[in-house]
Amino acid sequence: MSKGQLAQLRFTGKGPKFLKPTPRTVLYRKGDIDAWLDGSVRTTTAEASR
């Protein structure tokens, strides 16, 4: 996933939780990324997107 894609997910609020200790630094905790990925598990493409 590119930096731009992550930035767009942050902007729309659809990405993993993140930390922003300085205006130009964005950090992600491993646990937050894992939780975000676990929440996106699908068994079929027919499921409604969140």
Side-chain angles (χ1 to χ4, degrees), residues 3 6-7 10 16-29:
K3 289 180 184 181
L6 284 170
R10 285 193 307 272
K17 293 179 184 178
F18 63 95
L19 304 167
K20 197 157 171 66
T22 68
R24 295 183 60 155
T25 303
V26 177
L27 302 172
Y28 296 93
R29 293 181 181 136

Side-chain angles (χ1 to χ4, degrees), residues 3-48:
K3 289 180 184 181
Q5 288 170 317
L6 284 170
Q8 188 64 32
L9 288 172
R10 285 193 307 272
F11 181 77
T12 60
K14 295 181 180 180
K17 293 179 184 178
F18 63 95
L19 304 167
K20 197 157 171 66
T22 68
R24 295 183 60 155
T25 303
V26 177
L27 302 172
Y28 296 93
R29 293 181 181 136
K30 183 182 181 310
D32 291 335
I33 294 171
D34 291 340
W36 177 68
L37 289 171
D38 288 343
S40 67
V41 173
R42 302 284 185 262
T43 57
T44 176
T45 57
E47 291 183 36

